[in-house]
Amino acid sequence: MQGMRAEEYGAGFDAAVRDFADIQDKYRHAVRQTGLAVVDACEKSVAAAVRVQEQTSQTGADWTAETVRTQTGLTKELNAISAGVLRQLLR
């Protein structure tokens, strides 16, 4: 009878070890999936930051170009006005 108990104990221990191995596998899988999700989120965040930077740079470039055009136009107008005033004064 005592041998039966040892066999039952051994079978129970084997089952517990298998259950523990299954739990470890599930844990490793969950950790891996979490890691992949974190990496994916970081990659998306970096990509979004790059897009924002590119858009900001383009907006800055567009603003600078528009400012230069405006200043050039104003300079031409001021030069024309100055030339007109000088002509009037020199008559």
Side-chain angles (χ1 to χ4, degrees):
M1 229 162 136
Q2 194 124 350
M4 292 290 283
R5 288 185 188 159
E7 288 174 6
E8 290 172 358
Y9 178 77
F13 181 76
D14 289 343
V17 168
R18 281 191 305 274
D19 289 347
F20 182 69
D22 288 344
I23 291 169
Q24 282 183 317
D25 287 343
K26 289 177 183 174
Y27 175 76
R28 284 186 192 112
H29 179 72
V31 168
R32 183 174 182 276
Q33 291 304 107
T34 302
L36 292 174
V38 168
V39 168
D40 186 52
C42 289
E43 287 174 346
K44 288 179 180 174
S45 177
V46 168
V50 167
R51 278 193 307 276
V52 167
Q53 180 62 35
E54 288 170 349
Q55 290 170 350
T56 301
S57 295
Q58 185 58 46
T59 300
D62 292 346
W63 179 82
T64 300
E66 183 61 31
T67 301
V68 167
R69 281 191 296 272
T70 301
Q71 288 177 343
T72 301
L74 290 174
T75 301
K76 287 180 181 177
E77 287 180 31
L78 286 173
N79 286 342
I81 292 170
S82 297
V85 169
L86 280 175
R87 278 190 215 107
Q88 290 292 330
L89 291 174
L90 294 175
R91 285 187 185 177

